[in-house]
């Protein structure tokens, strides 16, 4: 049979099946099981109405149970067992986890995931907010928004292929088809543009990142440090933890700045971007940022339009400039939405797999947890360690997911 | 301490002029009220004074300084919005200090100003609350407090009471009157569609209609000597009755033969050339009295509304579809379905020709 015809039949059968299920099961409930006539009509109507929600929820419950709940428990089980030669499993306790924590590749994946976790949601939300604000009042704003939103329609693998071309490398002397190399080769040693774009701007960006981290941490830690008002123990602990993380990031940033300043760059040589350890992570992250910015922009644009116009006018009368209006009036009023967008992207990031799989497959120190799990589970056929990696991902996602749902519900109220 | 001058001010959206030829001088210490039907541009005019809408023609100045292109914050104005426009994420204290923080005042100065405003408005116990934890009246006071701390030359109020319930509206209206009393040197411009607010608060009322100013005057001037039919009918409730007729005697006292057969005398003077002029006389419902002699209006009462202190009589519609309303003192429901003859004191009968009062010509 022709594949197109097959697809059509699948659609018809699938959609038709759904409609048939709802229609006939409802009919069965009303006409056969609890008919609304006879001596028991009233009681039957009440009973039918109590059963009906469950009837309609059934397909979703079955599907979620079978494909979501059951696999979770099966994975927990698998992560605690080990295959024995000749078939069957044996219970080994936490041995898989111990084995996994002994592998440098796991720690590399975990560290990389942390980087993804910091950079991608922050960058996507920031760019999304910027795009939403800037495209708000201009005539071609909607066209710009459509263009920014378009990557959302591309699958992660498709996006990875597109960006692989962006990072493509041809031998020196040949025409470069990758944009990155084409731009790179247009820089000359010692020219003012090279200094501007390859030294000054990166240094400023990293410095800006460090300052932002410092400010955010200070805002969080201020009540604890200044000790005005009661401060609970867990809050102090959280502040210390965040503070330590911030100090580490700032330390890294300072070294990054020194590195950029002193590095001698190989001008004129085409670069294989995806094989540069550490930096290649950011090249991969760019793909996800490119995709998720559209999502953040659409949600935040709607939220920005929901900010009451008269609070903005009141701020204008109060003498606030556009930046103060944006940061002190608009952003605080949409903070709830920003948090929801941020956490939603965070969850996407924790599960990131396709991009890494399609672009580097975890080579050159770009491994992430999901791809590590895939490696163990399907390539090394080590179901125990693979499941253990899956559990680690789930443990990381769950608290963020709970927080996300909590915030989303709070926003809806 | 400010004198506002609007000279030939106009506002156009593209080709459409919503306001034109606005000429108005507001003296220091006045409380000016803009009234008018919805869509007459009164809020737009206020927002132009505030600087939230661009002035597309003419000149606007405060204390002699042209303000057309000065940003709102530098005009020395403060505005109270209809919806209060409090910043929902800031406490009352932060709401009130926002403008001063933007102006980079010292913390001591800010807290002194906020505390003083809070004391005047009895908001001290609520300073650390968020707006959502306040009642409508309290929110309104915070909005006023936000204006006071800036110590502006001109206060602008955009229908500040319309979101409050009736009882609170009266209380807040009195508070605003007291506030004005306490700050005799500050100029206030107040927009409302509520006549009672206009009549009670204003030192002068500006009636806007059809994109221009219909009349400017003290509340009682507008009530007693309306310049045109629009103002006559807009001020006062129920509206003034207008009856068409023809001048038959001129002089100090004008006599009008009405189309309904009635006869009206008024102390609006006319010249002999006016004899035969088609006019309309205007009588306020409360100025009608019962009579046995020459009637201005005679007809059957269709509906009575007894309000206790007064009774409203709604007459059967006249031939040209006008509904005559009279307001008689006391409780008179027995007049329903009876024939009543009405006249009015000749001092209280207004005279209009072509829509304009013959008092002003």
């Amino acid at each position: 049979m022709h594949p197109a015809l097959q697809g059509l039949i699948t659609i018809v059968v699938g959609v038709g099946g759904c409609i048939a299920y709802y229609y006939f099961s409802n009919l069965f409930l009303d006409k056969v099981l609890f008919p609304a006539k006879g001596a028991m009509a009233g009681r039957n109507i009440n009973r039918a109405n109590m059963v009906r929600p469950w009837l309609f929820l059934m397909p979703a419950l079955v599907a979620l149970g079978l494909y979501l709940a059951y696999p979770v428990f099966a994975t927990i089980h698998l992560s605690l067992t080990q295959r024995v030669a000749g078939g069957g499993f044996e219970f080994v306790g936490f041995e898989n986890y111990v084995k996994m924590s002994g592998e440098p590749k796991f720690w590399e994946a975990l560290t990389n995931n942390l980087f993804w976790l910091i950079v991608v949601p922050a960058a996507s939300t920031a760019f999304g907010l910027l795009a939403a604000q800037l495209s708000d009042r201009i005539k071609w704003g909607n066209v710009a928004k459509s263009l920014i939103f378009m990557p959302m329609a591309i699958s992660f693998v498709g996006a990875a292929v597109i960006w692989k071309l962006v990072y493509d490398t041809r031998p020196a002397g040949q025409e470069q088809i990758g944009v990155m190399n084409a731009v790179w080769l247009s820089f000359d040693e010692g020219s003012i543009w090279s200094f501007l774009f390859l030294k000054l701007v990166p240094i400023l960006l990293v410095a800006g990142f460090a300052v932002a981290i410092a400010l955010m941490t200070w805002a969080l830690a201020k009540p604890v440090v200044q000790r005005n008002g009661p401060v609970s123990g867990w809050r102090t602990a959280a502040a210390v933890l965040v503070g330590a993380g911030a100090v580490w990031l700032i330390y890294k940033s300072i070294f990054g700045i020194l590195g950029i300043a002193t590095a001698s760059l190989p001008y004129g040589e085409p670069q294989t971007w995806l094989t540069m350890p550490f930096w290649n992570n950011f090249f991969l992250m760019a793909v996800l940022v490119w995709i998720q910015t559209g999502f953040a922009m659409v949600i935040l644009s709607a939220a920005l339009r929901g900010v009451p116009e008269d609070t903005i006018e009141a701020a204008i009368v109060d003498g606030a400039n556009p930046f103060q209006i944006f940061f002190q009036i608009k952003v605080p009023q949409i903070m709830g939405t920003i948090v929801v967008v941020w956490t939603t992207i965070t969850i996407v990031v924790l599960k990131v797999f396709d991009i890494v799989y399609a672009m580097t497959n975890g080579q050159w120190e770009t491994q992430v947890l999901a791809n590590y799990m895939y490696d163990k589970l399907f390539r090394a056929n080590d179901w125990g360690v693979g499941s253990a990696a899956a559990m680690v991902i789930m443990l990381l996602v769950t608290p963020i997911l709970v927080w996300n749902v909590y915030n989303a519900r709070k926003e809806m109220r | 301490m400010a004198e506002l001058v609007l000279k030939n001010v106009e506002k156009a959206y593209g080709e459409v002029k919503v306001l034109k030829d606005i000429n108005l001088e507001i003296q220091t210490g006045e409380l000016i009220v803009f009234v008018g039907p919805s869509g007459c541009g009164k809020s737009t005019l206020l927002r132009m004074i505030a600087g939230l809408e661009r002035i597309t023609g003419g000149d606007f100045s405060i204390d002699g300084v042209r303000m057309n292109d000065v940003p709102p914050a530098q005009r020395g104005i403060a505005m109270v919005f209809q919806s209060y426009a409090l910043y929902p994420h800031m406490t009352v204290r932060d709401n009130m200090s926002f403008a001063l923080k933007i102006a980079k005042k010292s913390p001591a100065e800010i807290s002194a100003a906020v505390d003083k405003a809070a004391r005047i408005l009895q908001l001290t116990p609520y300073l650390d609350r968020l707006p959502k934890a306040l009642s409508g009246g309290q929110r309104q006071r915070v909005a006023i407090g936000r204006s006071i701390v800036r110590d502006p030359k001109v206060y602008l109020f955009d229908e500040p009471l319309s979101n409050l319930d009736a009882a609170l509206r009266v209380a807040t209206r009195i508070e605003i009157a007291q506030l004005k009393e306490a700050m005799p040197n500050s100029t206030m411009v107040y927009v409302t569609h509520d006549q009672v607010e206009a009549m009670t608060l204003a030192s002068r009322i500006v009636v806007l209609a059809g994109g221009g100013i219909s009349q400017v005057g003290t509340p009682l001037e507008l009530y007693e000597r309306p310049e045109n039919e629009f103002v006559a009918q807009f001020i006062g409730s129920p509206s003034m009755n207008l009856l068409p007729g023809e001048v038959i005697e001129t002089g100090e006292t004008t006599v009008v033969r009405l189309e309904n057969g009635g006869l009206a005398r008024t102390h609006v003077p006319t010249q002999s050339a006016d004899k035969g002029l088609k006019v309309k006389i205007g009588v306020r419902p409360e100025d009608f009295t019962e009579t046995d002699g020459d009637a201005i209006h005679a007809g059957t009462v269709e509906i009575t509304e007894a309000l206790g202190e007064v009774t409203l009589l709604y007459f059967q519609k006249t031939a040209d579809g006008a509904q005559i309303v009279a307001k008689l003192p006391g409780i008179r429901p027995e007049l329903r379905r009876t024939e009543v003859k009405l006249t009015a004191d000749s001092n209280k009968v207004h005279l209009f020709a072509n829509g304009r009062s013959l008092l002003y010509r």
Side-chain angles (χ1 to χ4, degrees):
Chain A
M1 208 191 301
H2 194 276
L5 196 63
Q6 239 173 343
L8 201 67
I9 292 174
T10 312
I11 292 172
V12 170
V13 170
V15 176
C18 285
I19 295 171
Y21 168 79
Y22 287 112
Y23 181 75
F24 287 112
S25 64
N26 195 35
L27 208 65
F28 177 76
L29 184 71
D30 280 340
K31 299 288 177 208
V32 182
L33 207 54
F34 298 116
K37 56 182 178 241
M40 300 293 199
R43 199 198 64 179
N44 278 356
I45 289 174
N46 283 341
R47 288 196 175 173
N49 282 342
M50 275 163 72
V51 173
R52 207 184 318 277
W54 295 102
L55 197 67
F56 287 1
L57 278 174
M58 186 97 80
L61 287 178
V62 168
L64 287 176
L66 192 63
Y67 294 115
L68 220 68
Y70 165 70
V72 168
F73 290 103
T75 309
I76 295 177
H77 177 71
L78 276 178
S79 75
L80 300 174
T81 58
Q82 195 179 345
R83 268 207 261 199
V84 284
F89 294 92
E90 60 172 355
F91 185 75
V92 292
F94 285 98
E95 203 173 286
N96 287 321
Y97 291 90
V98 175
K99 202 165 120 193
M100 185 171 68
S101 66
E103 282 191 33
K105 209 59 180 164
F106 168 74
W107 292 108
E108 178 197 314
L110 200 63
T111 324
N112 283 343
N113 253 74
L114 280 179
F115 270 115
W116 279 77
L117 209 62
I118 295 165
V119 174
V120 176
S124 305
T125 312
F127 286 138
L129 192 58
L130 193 70
Q133 169 69 16
L134 294 182
S135 64
D136 196 26
R137 295 253 167 107
I138 47 176
K139 267 193 208 137
W140 46 280
N142 282 331
V143 177
K145 274 189 202 163
S146 313
L147 288 175
I148 295 172
F149 186 69
M150 223 172 264
M152 276 291 282
I154 300 173
S155 73
F156 283 14
V157 176
V161 171
I162 293 172
W163 281 80
K164 226 175 162 174
L165 290 173
V166 170
Y167 300 136
D168 194 78
T169 312
R170 292 291 153 100
Q174 278 188 33
E175 196 90 39
Q176 296 293 332
I177 66 158
V179 173
M180 281 282 278
N181 267 319
V183 171
W184 167 248
L185 289 181
S186 68
F187 284 114
D188 295 322
E189 183 151 24
S191 84
I192 179 82
W193 296 113
S194 304
F195 172 75
L196 214 61
F197 285 109
L198 300 176
K199 296 276 184 190
L200 198 61
V201 172
I203 286 174
L204 287 179
L205 281 178
V206 177
F209 172 76
V211 170
I213 291 283
L215 283 178
M216 263 154 62
T217 316
W218 173 241
L220 274 173
K222 206 170 164 187
V224 181
V225 177
Q226 292 184 340
R227 293 245 165 243
N228 41 11
V231 177
S232 64
W234 71 265
R235 192 155 179 185
T236 314
V240 168
L241 209 67
V242 171
V247 167
W248 181 71
L249 282 173
I250 292 168
Y251 168 82
K252 278 278 177 192
S253 307
I254 292 169
F255 272 81
I257 291 173
L258 286 177
I260 295 167
T262 54
S264 62
L265 298 166
Y267 290 102
E269 297 166 31
Q271 298 296 305
T272 50
W273 303 105
L274 293 176
T275 64
M276 298 177 173
F278 185 70
W279 297 108
N280 51 9
N281 276 310
F282 292 94
F283 295 137
L284 298 192
M285 289 175 205
V287 184
L288 195 55
V289 172
W290 181 66
I291 295 175
Q292 294 293 329
T293 295
F295 163 76
M297 177 198 66
V298 168
I299 309 277
L300 294 174
S301 169
L304 278 178
R305 294 211 170 149
V307 173
E309 189 64 25
D310 49 15
T311 59
I312 295 162
E313 287 181 343
I316 293 174
V317 173
D318 275 347
N321 64 34
F323 286 98
Q324 287 165 328
I325 290 174
F326 183 68
F327 286 110
Q328 296 182 35
I329 304 296
K330 283 186 175 178
V331 169
Q333 289 193 62
I334 62 164
M335 207 28 121
T337 313
I338 292 179
V339 169
V340 170
V341 168
W342 188 296
T343 48
T344 306
I345 297 176
T346 304
I347 292 167
V348 173
V349 168
L350 274 173
K351 299 186 301 187
V352 70
F353 162 73
D354 333 35
I355 294 171
V356 177
Y357 179 81
M359 290 185 83
T360 62
N361 197 11
Q363 300 173 85
W364 310 296
E365 297 176 27
T366 57
Q367 189 65 298
V368 291
L369 281 174
N371 197 50
Y372 174 79
M373 175 196 80
Y374 182 85
D375 248 9
K376 287 290 164 194
L377 207 56
F378 297 112
R379 287 218 192 84
N381 240 335
D382 189 344
W383 289 33
V385 174
S387 303
M391 292 313 297
V392 170
I393 298 176
M394 200 184 84
L395 282 178
L396 290 174
V397 170
T398 307
I400 303 176
L401 189 69
V402 169
W403 198 41
N404 179 277
V405 171
Y406 167 78
N407 275 304
R409 292 179 68 124
K410 201 169 73 178
E411 271 302 285
M412 263 181 261
R413 243 178 267 140
Chain B
M1 291 143 276
E3 189 188 55
L4 280 68
V5 179
L6 293 100
K7 203 177 268 173
N8 295 323
V9 165
E10 67 174 45
K11 174 75 189 173
Y13 293 104
E15 289 291 296
V16 189
K17 283 188 183 174
V18 292
L19 286 170
K20 52 182 184 290
D21 299 335
I22 303 289
N23 286 296
L24 187 63
E25 283 187 26
I26 299 174
Q27 308 300 325
T28 301
E30 270 192 310
L31 198 162
I32 291 287
V33 176
F34 292 169
V35 289
S38 46
C40 69
K42 54 190 189 291
S43 279
T44 307
L45 186 56
L46 189 79
R47 290 165 57 82
M48 283 157 77
I49 294 176
L52 293 170
E53 297 273 356
R54 226 165 54 79
I55 297 169
T56 52
D59 290 303
F60 163 56
S61 59
I62 297 178
D63 283 342
V65 182
R66 190 169 183 274
M67 287 289 168
N68 287 38
D69 303 312
V70 177
Q74 280 143 45
R75 292 186 180 197
I77 51 120
M79 185 152 170
V80 176
F81 291 81
Q82 180 177 2
S83 58
Y84 322 134
L86 301 181
Y87 310 127
H89 56 287
M90 296 185 192
T91 61
V92 170
R93 179 184 294 280
D94 289 339
N95 259 288
M96 285 166 52
S97 32
F98 184 72
L100 301 181
K101 273 183 198 154
I102 295 284
K104 300 218 161 57
K105 292 270 165 52
S106 73
E109 219 174 323
I110 294 175
S111 103
V114 170
D115 287 340
K116 188 176 159 219
R119 233 184 3 261
I120 296 172
L121 296 162
Q122 291 141 33
L123 284 170
T124 313
Y126 310 109
L127 277 178
D128 293 317
R129 286 206 200 164
L130 287 176
K132 65 181 173 199
L134 299 178
S135 69
Q138 288 164 343
R139 285 180 206 185
Q140 186 58 69
R141 290 214 295 274
V142 176
I144 295 172
R146 206 165 59 176
S147 305
I148 293 179
V149 291
R150 297 183 51 202
D151 192 21
K153 291 191 275 190
V154 184
Y155 288 84
L156 305 175
F157 293 90
D158 189 4
E159 306 203 18
L161 307 184
S162 58
N163 280 357
L164 301 177
D165 64 49
L168 209 49
R169 201 176 296 182
V170 174
T172 313
R173 195 176 76 209
I174 293 167
E175 274 174 31
I176 291 179
Q178 285 165 344
L179 192 69
K180 177 76 195 72
E181 200 101 312
M183 299 186 291
N185 283 329
S186 53
T187 310
M188 293 186 180
V189 182
Y190 189 108
V191 164
T192 181
H193 57 257
D194 185 313
Q195 278 191 36
V196 182
E197 274 170 41
M199 298 296 280
T200 51
L201 287 174
S203 31
R204 279 193 301 155
I205 295 179
V206 176
V207 182
L208 290 163
I213 292 179
S214 235
Q215 187 175 359
V216 183
T218 64
L220 291 181
E221 253 169 43
L222 297 193
Y223 180 82
E224 287 173 341
R225 297 163 65 87
E227 219 174 284
N228 50 45
E229 283 178 20
F230 178 80
V231 175
Q233 291 209 297
F234 190 78
I235 302 288
S237 171
S239 303
M240 182 187 281
N241 299 293
L242 291 176
L243 298 118
E246 192 184 314
V247 176
I248 55 170
E249 266 178 50
T250 57
E252 278 298 294
T253 304
T254 308
V255 181
V256 178
R257 165 70 63 198
L258 297 171
E259 280 176 17
N260 62 11
L263 201 67
R265 286 166 200 285
T266 167
H267 281 165
V268 179
T270 43
Q271 293 131 25
S272 51
D274 292 333
K275 204 162 189 171
L277 187 68
K278 292 279 181 204
V279 292
K280 278 186 181 173
I281 64 149
V283 186
R284 294 196 181 276
E286 53 270 37
D287 292 335
F288 272 130
T289 50
E290 285 175 279
T291 180
D292 295 326
D294 281 344
I296 290 177
H297 181 73
T300 311
V301 178
E302 207 167 50
I303 296 168
T304 58
E305 286 180 345
L307 302 176
E309 53 169 336
V310 293
T311 302
L312 295 179
L313 310 182
Y314 292 87
F315 286 81
Q316 265 175 354
K317 290 207 168 136
T318 56
D320 55 350
Q323 169 99 65
I324 302 295
V325 184
K327 197 193 254 179
L328 297 182
I331 302 171
R332 309 286 299 278
E334 76 282 358
L335 291 176
R336 185 156 184 239
R337 300 240 166 79
T338 62
E339 180 86 10
V340 174
K341 288 168 94 177
L342 295 172
T343 186
D345 180 4
S346 52
N347 282 319
K348 302 217 166 148
V349 176
H350 307 260
L351 196 58
F352 302 97
N354 297 322
R356 295 196 53 79
S357 171
L358 292 178
L359 270 175
Y360 296 85
R361 58 175 190 178

Short mmCIF file of all heavy atoms in Angstrom, two decimals, chain A residues 92-116:
data_model
loop_
_atom_site.label_atom_id
_atom_site.label_comp_id
_atom_site.label_asym_id
_atom_site.label_seq_id
_atom_site.Cartn_x
_atom_site.Cartn_y
_atom_site.Cartn_z
N VAL A 92 20.55 -5.79 42.93
CA VAL A 92 21.91 -5.46 43.34
C VAL A 92 21.96 -4.21 44.22
O VAL A 92 23.04 -3.68 44.48
CB VAL A 92 22.83 -5.23 42.12
CG1 VAL A 92 23.03 -6.53 41.37
CG2 VAL A 92 22.27 -4.15 41.21
N GLY A 93 20.81 -3.72 44.66
CA GLY A 93 20.82 -2.51 45.49
C GLY A 93 21.29 -1.30 44.70
O GLY A 93 20.94 -1.14 43.54
N PHE A 94 22.14 -0.49 45.31
CA PHE A 94 22.56 0.76 44.67
C PHE A 94 23.85 0.63 43.88
O PHE A 94 24.50 1.61 43.59
CB PHE A 94 22.70 1.85 45.73
CG PHE A 94 21.37 2.36 46.19
CD1 PHE A 94 20.80 1.88 47.36
CD2 PHE A 94 20.67 3.29 45.44
CE1 PHE A 94 19.57 2.33 47.78
CE2 PHE A 94 19.44 3.75 45.85
CZ PHE A 94 18.88 3.26 47.02
N GLU A 95 24.19 -0.59 43.53
CA GLU A 95 25.47 -0.83 42.88
C GLU A 95 25.58 -0.07 41.55
O GLU A 95 26.64 0.47 41.23
CB GLU A 95 25.65 -2.32 42.62
CG GLU A 95 27.10 -2.72 42.47
CD GLU A 95 27.22 -4.23 42.39
OE1 GLU A 95 27.06 -4.89 43.44
OE2 GLU A 95 27.42 -4.74 41.29
N ASN A 96 24.43 0.02 40.81
CA ASN A 96 24.45 0.74 39.53
C ASN A 96 24.79 2.21 39.73
O ASN A 96 25.52 2.79 38.95
CB ASN A 96 23.09 0.63 38.84
CG ASN A 96 22.87 -0.76 38.28
OD1 ASN A 96 23.80 -1.38 37.76
ND2 ASN A 96 21.65 -1.26 38.42
N TYR A 97 24.24 2.77 40.79
CA TYR A 97 24.48 4.18 41.07
C TYR A 97 25.95 4.40 41.43
O TYR A 97 26.57 5.38 41.03
CB TYR A 97 23.57 4.67 42.21
CG TYR A 97 22.11 4.72 41.81
CD1 TYR A 97 21.29 3.62 41.99
CD2 TYR A 97 21.57 5.87 41.25
CE1 TYR A 97 19.96 3.66 41.62
CE2 TYR A 97 20.24 5.92 40.88
CZ TYR A 97 19.44 4.82 41.07
OH TYR A 97 18.12 4.86 40.70
N VAL A 98 26.48 3.48 42.22
CA VAL A 98 27.89 3.57 42.62
C VAL A 98 28.78 3.49 41.39
O VAL A 98 29.70 4.29 41.20
CB VAL A 98 28.23 2.46 43.62
CG1 VAL A 98 29.73 2.47 43.94
CG2 VAL A 98 27.41 2.61 44.90
N LYS A 99 28.43 2.54 40.52
CA LYS A 99 29.21 2.34 39.30
C LYS A 99 29.18 3.60 38.44
O LYS A 99 30.20 4.07 37.93
CB LYS A 99 28.61 1.16 38.53
CG LYS A 99 29.57 0.50 37.55
CD LYS A 99 29.01 -0.85 37.14
CE LYS A 99 28.79 -0.89 35.65
NZ LYS A 99 27.96 -2.06 35.25
N MET A 100 27.96 4.17 38.35
CA MET A 100 27.78 5.36 37.52
C MET A 100 28.60 6.53 38.07
O MET A 100 29.26 7.25 37.31
CB MET A 100 26.29 5.74 37.49
CG MET A 100 25.96 6.87 36.56
SD MET A 100 24.19 7.06 36.38
CE MET A 100 23.73 7.60 38.01
N SER A 101 28.58 6.70 39.40
CA SER A 101 29.29 7.84 39.97
C SER A 101 30.79 7.67 39.85
O SER A 101 31.54 8.63 40.04
CB SER A 101 28.89 8.03 41.44
OG SER A 101 29.33 6.90 42.18
N GLY A 102 31.24 6.48 39.51
CA GLY A 102 32.68 6.29 39.29
C GLY A 102 33.10 6.65 37.89
O GLY A 102 34.31 6.65 37.58
N GLU A 103 32.14 6.92 37.02
CA GLU A 103 32.50 7.19 35.63
C GLU A 103 32.69 8.67 35.37
O GLU A 103 31.78 9.45 35.63
CB GLU A 103 31.38 6.68 34.70
CG GLU A 103 31.43 5.20 34.50
CD GLU A 103 30.48 4.76 33.39
OE1 GLU A 103 30.29 5.55 32.42
OE2 GLU A 103 29.92 3.67 33.50
N PRO A 104 33.84 9.09 34.84
CA PRO A 104 34.05 10.52 34.57
C PRO A 104 33.02 11.07 33.57
O PRO A 104 32.63 12.23 33.65
CB PRO A 104 35.46 10.61 33.99
CG PRO A 104 35.88 9.22 33.72
CD PRO A 104 35.01 8.28 34.49
N LYS A 105 32.56 10.22 32.62
CA LYS A 105 31.62 10.69 31.61
C LYS A 105 30.30 11.14 32.26
O LYS A 105 29.65 12.07 31.79
CB LYS A 105 31.37 9.53 30.62
CG LYS A 105 31.02 9.94 29.21
CD LYS A 105 32.06 10.78 28.52
CE LYS A 105 31.61 11.14 27.11
NZ LYS A 105 32.36 12.22 26.52
N PHE A 106 29.92 10.46 33.36
CA PHE A 106 28.70 10.85 34.06
C PHE A 106 28.85 12.24 34.66
O PHE A 106 27.97 13.09 34.55
CB PHE A 106 28.37 9.84 35.17
CG PHE A 106 27.30 10.32 36.12
CD1 PHE A 106 25.97 10.36 35.73
CD2 PHE A 106 27.63 10.74 37.40
CE1 PHE A 106 24.99 10.81 36.60
CE2 PHE A 106 26.65 11.19 38.28
CZ PHE A 106 25.33 11.22 37.87
N TRP A 107 29.99 12.48 35.30
CA TRP A 107 30.21 13.78 35.93
C TRP A 107 30.32 14.88 34.88
O TRP A 107 29.87 15.99 35.08
CB TRP A 107 31.45 13.75 36.82
CG TRP A 107 31.20 12.89 38.02
CD1 TRP A 107 31.72 11.66 38.26
CD2 TRP A 107 30.29 13.18 39.09
NE1 TRP A 107 31.20 11.15 39.43
CE2 TRP A 107 30.31 12.07 39.95
CE3 TRP A 107 29.45 14.25 39.39
CZ2 TRP A 107 29.55 12.00 41.10
CZ3 TRP A 107 28.69 14.18 40.54
CH2 TRP A 107 28.75 13.07 41.39
N GLU A 108 30.92 14.52 33.74
CA GLU A 108 30.97 15.48 32.64
C GLU A 108 29.55 15.85 32.19
O GLU A 108 29.22 17.04 32.02
CB GLU A 108 31.74 14.85 31.47
CG GLU A 108 31.83 15.73 30.24
CD GLU A 108 32.22 14.92 29.01
OE1 GLU A 108 33.17 14.11 29.10
OE2 GLU A 108 31.56 15.07 27.97
N ALA A 109 28.71 14.81 32.07
CA ALA A 109 27.33 15.06 31.64
C ALA A 109 26.60 15.93 32.65
O ALA A 109 25.87 16.86 32.29
CB ALA A 109 26.60 13.74 31.45
N LEU A 110 26.82 15.65 33.94
CA LEU A 110 26.14 16.40 34.99
C LEU A 110 26.58 17.87 34.98
O LEU A 110 25.76 18.78 35.06
CB LEU A 110 26.44 15.76 36.35
CG LEU A 110 25.47 16.10 37.48
CD1 LEU A 110 24.08 15.60 37.16
CD2 LEU A 110 25.95 15.49 38.78
N THR A 111 27.92 18.07 34.86
CA THR A 111 28.43 19.46 34.81
C THR A 111 27.87 20.19 33.60
O THR A 111 27.42 21.34 33.71
CB THR A 111 29.97 19.46 34.71
OG1 THR A 111 30.47 18.39 35.48
CG2 THR A 111 30.54 20.76 35.21
N ASN A 112 27.91 19.52 32.44
CA ASN A 112 27.39 20.17 31.23
C ASN A 112 25.93 20.52 31.39
O ASN A 112 25.48 21.59 31.01
CB ASN A 112 27.57 19.26 30.02
CG ASN A 112 29.01 19.27 29.54
OD1 ASN A 112 29.76 20.16 29.90
ND2 ASN A 112 29.38 18.29 28.75
N ASN A 113 25.16 19.58 31.99
CA ASN A 113 23.74 19.84 32.20
C ASN A 113 23.54 21.08 33.06
O ASN A 113 22.64 21.87 32.82
CB ASN A 113 23.07 18.63 32.87
CG ASN A 113 22.20 17.88 31.91
OD1 ASN A 113 22.72 17.18 31.06
ND2 ASN A 113 20.91 18.03 32.02
N LEU A 114 24.41 21.23 34.07
CA LEU A 114 24.30 22.42 34.93
C LEU A 114 24.52 23.69 34.11
O LEU A 114 23.81 24.68 34.28
CB LEU A 114 25.30 22.36 36.08
CG LEU A 114 24.87 21.47 37.24
CD1 LEU A 114 25.93 21.45 38.32
CD2 LEU A 114 23.54 21.94 37.81
N PHE A 115 25.52 23.64 33.22
CA PHE A 115 25.77 24.81 32.36
C PHE A 115 24.55 25.10 31.49
O PHE A 115 24.11 26.24 31.38
CB PHE A 115 26.99 24.58 31.48
CG PHE A 115 28.26 25.05 32.11
CD1 PHE A 115 29.26 24.17 32.45
CD2 PHE A 115 28.44 26.40 32.39
CE1 PHE A 115 30.42 24.60 33.05
CE2 PHE A 115 29.60 26.83 32.99
CZ PHE A 115 30.60 25.93 33.32
N TRP A 116 24.01 24.04 30.88
CA TRP A 116 22.80 24.20 30.06
C TRP A 116 21.70 24.84 30.89
O TRP A 116 20.98 25.72 30.45
CB TRP A 116 22.32 22.83 29.55
CG TRP A 116 23.04 22.31 28.37
CD1 TRP A 116 24.28 21.74 28.35
CD2 TRP A 116 22.57 22.27 27.02
NE1 TRP A 116 24.60 21.36 27.09
CE2 TRP A 116 23.57 21.68 26.24
CE3 TRP A 116 21.38 22.69 26.40
CZ2 TRP A 116 23.43 21.49 24.87
CZ3 TRP A 116 21.25 22.49 25.04
CH2 TRP A 116 22.28 21.90 24.28
#
